[in-house]
Amino acid sequence: MAGGDFTPPASSLLKFDPMSSDRYPFREIEAKWQRIWEERGQFRAVEDPRRPKFYCLEMFPYPSGRIHMGHVRVYAIGDLLARFKRMRGFNVLHPMGWDAFGLPAENAAIEHGVHPAIWTYENIDNMRGQLRKLGISYDWDREVTTCDPAYYKWEQLIFIRMLERGLAYRRRSTVNWCPSCQTVLANEQVEAGRCWRCDSEVTPREIDGWFFKITAYADELLEWCDKLPGWPERVLTMQRNWIGRSEGAEFDLPVAGRPELKVRVFTTRPDTAFGMTYAVLAPEHPLVDRLIADEDERRAVTAFRAEVARQSEIERLAADRPKRGLRISARVVNPFNNVEIPLFIADYVLMGYGTGSIMAVPGEDQRDWEFAKQHALPIIETVQRPPGWVGEAYSGDGLKINSGFLDGLTVAAAKRRAIDWLVERGLGVAKVNYRLRDWGISRQRYWGAPIPVLYCDKDGVVPEDEKNLPVVLPRDVQLSGKGGSPLADVASFVNARCPKCGGKARRETDTMDTFVESSWYFLRYCSPHYERGMFERAAAEYWMPVDQYIGGIEHAVLHLLYARFYTKVLRDLDMVAVDEPFTALLSQGMVIKDGAKMSKSKGNVVDPDDLIRTLGADTARLFSLFAAPPEKDLDWNDHGVEGASRFLNRVWRFVIAHAEDLKAAPATAAPTTAAGTAFRRTVHETIAKATQDIERDFHFNTAISAVMELVNALYAFEAASHDDMPAGERAALLREAVETTLLLLGPIAPHVTEELWAQLGHTESLFSRPWPEADPAALVKNEVTLVVQVDGKVRSRLNITVGTPEERIQRLALADDRVQPWVRERAVERVVVVANRLVNIVTRA
Ligand SMILES: [Zn+2]
Ligand SMILES: [Zn+2]
């Protein structure tokens, strides 16, 4: 049964005495409504082409064992939007699942001897229970767990398809190795030379591994950064920088006396070529060996290489350290002016970037400038410095100098001219370079999806036969945490038959990076039980793309870039029609306490379970949404939590105390009195503000403030006597205000509002009601406040009806009690009325 009306049996309507306690009975209410929503299948999503869809998704959690306040915050945001959109008429998909492979499970196995699968599934059970207590509107029928072979089977199939198309490949490379995690890290997983997960220092290592060719999509990934207006600009900027596109030229520097040997260089500044005073090869550049003149030089090069090998890639690229270099005997020729220049090998040039060699232009490049100074090399300026310039290398604009045929041009014009010059002479080409590297997906770990290939002596690398998928991760394995892939020791796994020749073959023992699983889980949610493919095309076409994605800024590069890439690969495999997976992204800030991120080591953790037990899930949700705008860090404070609880109690007491009157009140309110009109305007202004704050700006905190003010107005209106107001008008206005409050508060604090809604006699769910619309007639302001000035000083204020004639306004202003003392003794020269704003009285001095 999906949604629809539901009449609770009379016995399920709890009886409450408003005076019985300080706190409303949140424990009973929350359990009751979680059960009823579940029984009704109220949040089950069913494709319905007649209704507009809204796919609301929070980044799925790693099942570490317990949810923390950061989880509460992001799921409260997601649930607010999901329930809000449902009430706005959308067919909402709001699923939840588990990013279940990964290192902590394996580390737990090593430390405590519990199998990663048992550890993971127990954690999932715990966390699911905790999430249910928060009352989030998930369609639990769509729960996805990535360590399930029924899940990873499909990414194994896609791996084979990518292999066939050259989008997955194997090569030897220098990798970032975390000695503590005993695994390879992607460049994105290295932060300031340290492992992103355990903070150990990362070291380089040569290793064979599998790669996804994300660089084939560099241009498209970059282009689409300009076509995602729903994403935060800072996330797009981080992605653009990560892709790091640079335009320039690639050309050869012939070796002096041996023109058949050439050093190929890439530069983004071909305009500076006349300032080239030396060139540099990466120490590991293959050309170096061919340039060595004698044994002495060979020994020097070998020693230098050994020295460089002790540094990590990150250290070599660091700006703030001396650059080591070795001058070799060979020299190269600058083709722009045929000048011979010295050649170095140096640690600041890396083989994996560009061509592994550079032309050095110390006048305009800071790293080259530092190296030139350290090695007493000449520096030639090729750009006119601005007046008063004192500095080292100059990378700004200006007119070219000391540059032959480029003299007098601007930097941009000289770049184009220099490239044309190279191309005309067949010496070089215009070239685009990227900082983005291919995605290394091999992990020497157990708890991941097996890579579905085998190694056969006869056939080489052979993909597993599709009908043998999934390649299931074996259960019996010894995990020591030391050495290479644990799967290599599982003979029953390693020794297999070659799918091609039937002979003996060895299985690949690396597993896939867990970022592969999180690159497509949003597609699996569209048809999680589908058995004939990764997802059912029609379901994916209906739900995709995700309309609102919500998750932490720490995923601005890694996960989000991989998911975008993987979606494009699936599109090009003709599996889905979308170009991008996520239309809009909201990156929420962290939850901090006492100035630091909540963490066990800092001892500042607030356990969501404790909070739910003592004050209720609705209070936890309300506080999370109210304490800060979502993109900002949320500073935890107990007073704020208490305040959220008090507010819900205040709403509770009002509704319970007046429930009988409210039930009996007329359903529509059409005020005839000034006080009634003003109150109804407050109600509808609140609707307009809350709707705009939620929908347009994600300013949930200001939307909640507006509802809090409405509740204050509600109490004040109820307390006032309103002698001139018909009783029916008063009751109808109160009812409209109370029901509006519950509807606006529903997506924020769903349990208490649903209960109060039922207490008002409604038999259908609050969440099957449409979101309230602001009545334009109620918003019309028919009274304005005018400031009255006498000789430029504010003396009074006048409340008048809009459209009052100017003469009458003048008379009212002059007769005003607080104006009279300032005009009584003096001659009024003129009275100026600025419509709806101001009355200015000018007297004769
Ligand atoms: Zn590590
Ligand atoms: Zn074979």
Side-chain angles (χ1 to χ4, degrees):
M1 184 170 78
D5 285 356
F6 171 83
T7 309
S11 63
S12 87
L13 254 190
L14 308 173
K15 292 276 172 253
F16 300 109
D17 173 0
M19 299 304 152
S20 67
S21 77
D22 292 347
R23 289 207 163 114
Y24 73 95
F26 55 85
R27 284 191 200 92
E28 294 150 70
I29 290 172
E30 291 179 359
K32 168 187 161 184
W33 286 103
Q34 285 159 18
R35 179 175 46 75
I36 293 173
W37 292 331
E38 177 68 25
E39 284 167 5
R40 289 181 196 173
Q42 189 157 342
F43 307 119
R44 211 166 289 158
V46 179
E47 290 87 71
D48 180 356
R50 293 162 304 174
R51 292 171 63 205
K53 65 94 184 179
F54 189 85
Y55 187 171
C56 181
L57 184 65
E58 299 104 62
M59 290 179 185
F60 67 168
Y62 178 78
S64 55
R66 301 196 61 75
I67 62 165
H68 52 67
M69 287 311 308
H71 289 128
V72 173
R73 187 182 194 194
V74 63
Y75 305 144
I77 292 169
D79 200 39
L80 189 172
L81 291 172
R83 289 180 188 259
F84 171 74
K85 287 291 181 179
R86 242 177 231 120
M87 293 168 85
R88 298 281 276 174
F90 288 88
N91 188 19
V92 172
L93 172 58
H94 190 209
M96 176 45 72
W98 312 98
D99 193 10
F101 274 137
L103 268 183
E106 202 158 334
N107 291 340
I110 294 159
E111 278 169 43
H112 309 299
V114 51
H115 194 279
I118 292 169
W119 187 87
T120 301
Y121 279 102
E122 278 180 4
N123 285 348
I124 288 174
D125 286 343
N126 279 336
M127 290 174 75
R128 190 193 299 107
Q130 287 184 297
L131 281 185
R132 283 180 181 275
K133 279 194 233 159
L134 277 171
I136 315 279
S137 64
Y138 293 128
D139 178 354
W140 282 105
D141 286 353
R142 292 178 184 253
E143 184 177 346
V144 152
T145 305
T146 60
C147 63
D148 183 344
Y151 181 86
Y152 65 71
K153 169 181 178 172
W154 302 113
E155 73 192 40
Q156 291 178 336
L157 178 67
I158 297 305
F159 181 95
I160 294 168
R161 298 261 191 278
M162 289 172 75
L163 188 61
E164 288 161 1
R165 285 160 179 77
L167 289 170
Y169 65 93
R170 186 165 183 263
R171 71 168 157 91
R172 170 150 293 208
S173 66
T174 307
V175 295
N176 307 301
W177 177 260
C178 173
S180 160
C181 298
Q182 289 273 310
T183 193
V184 172
L185 300 172
N187 279 336
E188 299 90 315
Q189 293 165 333
V190 179
E191 288 159 6
R194 293 180 173 275
C195 171
W196 72 304
R197 202 187 290 276
C198 76
D199 211 35
S200 302
E201 200 159 326
V202 169
T203 57
R205 191 180 254 212
E206 283 265 300
I207 202 164
D208 284 320
W210 289 95
F211 287 81
F212 282 167
K213 201 169 182 173
I214 190 171
T215 53
Y217 288 82
D219 262 328
E220 202 199 326
L221 288 166
L222 189 65
E223 250 170 59
W224 274 89
C225 285
D226 297 333
K227 296 190 261 185
L228 294 169
W231 283 46
E233 196 49 43
R234 68 169 171 158
V235 173
L236 294 171
T237 300
M238 287 164 84
Q239 295 222 343
R240 285 189 193 104
N241 290 345
W242 191 260
I243 296 166
R245 183 181 196 274
S246 54
E247 282 180 29
E250 206 175 275
F251 61 98
D252 292 326
L253 311 176
V255 175
R258 296 172 73 185
E260 75 281 8
L261 295 182
K262 293 176 171 67
V263 173
R264 186 84 171 166
V265 294
F266 169 79
T267 175
T268 58
R269 292 290 305 272
D271 62 293
T272 60
F274 285 90
M276 188 190 318
T277 56
Y278 63 97
V280 185
L281 291 168
E284 54 274 52
H285 197 296
L287 190 61
V288 175
D289 291 312
R290 301 178 64 190
L291 297 174
I292 288 169
D294 54 30
E295 271 316 301
D296 281 352
E297 184 159 49
R298 181 171 304 282
R299 267 194 296 279
V301 166
T302 306
F304 183 77
R305 280 176 170 165
E307 201 180 312
V308 172
R310 284 195 287 274
Q311 309 168 56
S312 72
E313 193 167 298
I314 292 99
E315 285 172 314
R316 288 176 63 181
L317 289 173
D320 56 344
R321 47 170 287 282
K323 285 144 190 65
R324 275 184 282 205
L326 175 74
R327 184 169 178 162
I328 59 174
S329 56
R331 295 167 68 82
V332 289
V333 178
N334 178 353
F336 281 81
N337 54 12
N338 289 314
V339 171
E340 268 186 30
I341 52 171
L343 183 60
F344 285 79
I345 55 176
D347 60 354
Y348 76 103
V349 175
L350 272 85
M351 203 52 224
Y353 289 78
T355 57
S357 45
I358 61 158
M359 67 168 200
V361 287
E364 279 82 33
D365 182 286
Q366 185 61 25
R367 286 187 315 169
D368 296 346
W369 190 92
E370 286 163 17
F371 189 85
K373 280 287 173 194
Q374 285 156 17
H375 295 84
L377 294 157
I379 296 172
I380 299 172
E381 297 182 352
T382 74
V383 182
Q384 186 83 59
R385 271 50 176 167
W389 166 262
V390 275
E392 304 177 339
Y394 174 69
S395 59
D397 202 2
L399 296 183
K400 298 302 298 183
I401 52 171
N402 301 325
S403 292
F405 63 91
L406 300 175
D407 279 354
L409 296 175
T410 62
V411 166
K415 272 189 198 178
R416 284 192 300 274
R417 185 71 200 91
I419 293 173
D420 289 347
W421 186 89
L422 287 166
V423 171
E424 282 160 19
R425 281 157 187 77
L427 296 171
V429 290
K431 181 96 194 246
V432 174
N433 254 15
Y434 295 92
R435 181 174 176 266
L436 184 68
R437 306 285 106 196
D438 279 339
W439 174 13
I441 61 142
S442 277
R443 297 291 178 271
Q444 291 68 45
R445 300 300 302 216
Y446 164 69
W447 193 234
I451 294 172
V453 296
L454 299 101
Y455 302 95
C456 168
D457 284 341
K458 196 162 136 263
D459 301 302
V461 176
V462 185
E464 181 56 274
D465 195 320
E466 286 175 21
K467 69 176 189 299
N468 295 334
L469 297 181
V471 176
V472 176
L473 191 66
R475 279 296 282 256
D476 292 328
V477 63
Q478 286 302 331
L479 298 170
S480 65
K482 299 280 168 277
S485 301
L487 287 177
D489 299 328
V490 184
S492 59
F493 177 81
V494 175
N495 302 320
R497 291 272 151 210
C498 170
K500 212 163 177 181
C501 70
K504 277 188 188 165
R506 281 178 60 82
R507 256 185 217 292
E508 171 63 65
T509 56
D510 285 355
T511 53
M512 284 192 240
D513 182 359
T514 59
F515 277 114
V516 181
E517 283 89 60
S518 54
S519 289
W520 64 280
Y521 74 109
F522 42 88
L523 281 156
R524 187 65 185 168
Y525 280 143
C526 297
S527 51
H529 309 295
Y530 189 62
E531 289 176 355
R532 281 174 295 164
M534 193 173 218
F535 47 84
E536 191 181 5
R537 184 164 188 134
E541 305 275 274
Y542 179 74
W543 292 115
M544 288 293 291
V546 173
D547 296 279
Q548 183 65 57
Y549 199 29
I550 306 153
I553 191 75
E554 65 274 21
H555 295 295
V557 177
L558 304 171
H559 159 59
L560 290 169
L561 196 64
Y562 293 152
R564 293 181 59 210
F565 157 68
Y566 205 84
T567 301
K568 289 173 192 298
V569 170
L570 296 177
R571 176 203 62 194
D572 291 348
L573 292 171
D574 197 26
M575 291 172 63
V576 67
V578 295
D579 291 305
E580 287 283 336
F582 315 120
T583 302
L585 173 71
L586 176 59
S587 286
Q588 89 282 358
M590 289 188 302
V591 179
I592 59 175
K593 189 165 188 268
D594 313 323
K597 184 176 178 173
M598 281 190 187
S599 76
K600 264 188 216 149
S601 60
K602 296 202 181 69
N604 62 351
V605 173
V606 177
D607 186 342
D609 269 0
D610 291 343
L611 183 57
I612 292 169
R613 201 163 41 243
T614 53
L615 292 172
D618 282 338
T619 291
R621 297 168 53 131
L622 173 63
F623 173 74
S624 299
L625 295 165
F626 179 59
E631 70 280 5
K632 294 277 184 343
D633 287 347
L634 184 160
D635 202 347
W636 192 268
N637 79 75
D638 296 332
H639 289 298
V641 180
E642 270 295 333
S645 171
R646 273 200 306 278
F647 171 68
L648 293 181
N649 278 293
R650 195 165 147 75
V651 174
W652 172 267
R653 283 196 306 272
F654 190 95
V655 179
I656 295 297
H658 301 99
E660 293 312 313
D661 294 344
L662 291 166
K663 272 196 271 192
T668 51
T672 57
T673 61
T677 305
F679 182 61
R680 187 157 192 267
R681 190 185 316 124
T682 301
V683 172
H684 285 264
E685 280 173 352
T686 307
I687 296 172
K689 174 156 177 56
T691 308
Q692 175 174 319
D693 285 354
I694 293 171
E695 181 140 73
R696 204 185 64 186
D697 308 318
F698 298 141
H699 286 171
F700 313 130
N701 55 329
T702 56
I704 293 167
S705 288
V707 178
M708 287 175 169
E709 280 169 32
L710 175 59
V711 173
N712 289 341
L714 190 61
Y715 270 91
F717 183 81
E718 200 278 330
S721 56
H722 300 307
D723 293 336
D724 59 337
M725 193 178 293
E729 174 173 335
R730 186 168 180 278
L733 286 167
L734 276 173
R735 176 171 170 176
E736 186 188 30
V738 165
E739 295 195 346
T740 299
T741 301
L742 296 179
L743 289 163
L744 297 181
L745 211 50
I748 295 153
H751 309 88
V752 65
T753 49
E754 183 82 294
E755 176 61 32
L756 290 173
W757 189 252
Q759 294 286 336
L760 292 179
H762 293 288
T763 53
E764 90 230 52
S765 169
L766 176 76
F767 300 101
S768 60
R769 289 294 292 249
W771 184 255
E773 295 271 357
D775 177 358
L779 291 175
V780 171
K781 277 206 174 179
N782 53 3
E783 226 180 44
V784 284
T785 304
L786 303 186
V787 170
V788 184
Q789 293 182 343
V790 180
D791 296 327
K793 288 208 166 62
V794 176
R795 297 301 180 190
S796 185
R797 286 181 167 79
L798 279 182
N799 287 331
I800 57 134
T801 308
V802 172
T804 304
E806 199 168 310
E807 295 148 83
R808 180 164 161 73
I809 294 173
Q810 292 180 354
R811 263 186 283 120
L812 286 169
L814 290 169
D816 186 87
D817 286 349
R818 276 164 297 177
V819 171
Q820 265 293 307
W822 304 98
V823 295
R824 205 178 292 138
E825 309 285 310
R826 327 180 75 158
V828 172
E829 196 169 83
R830 60 200 149 91
V831 181
V832 181
V833 177
V834 180
N836 294 336
R837 288 183 54 201
L838 184 76
V839 182
N840 198 13
I841 299 168
V842 181
T843 66
R844 199 171 299 143

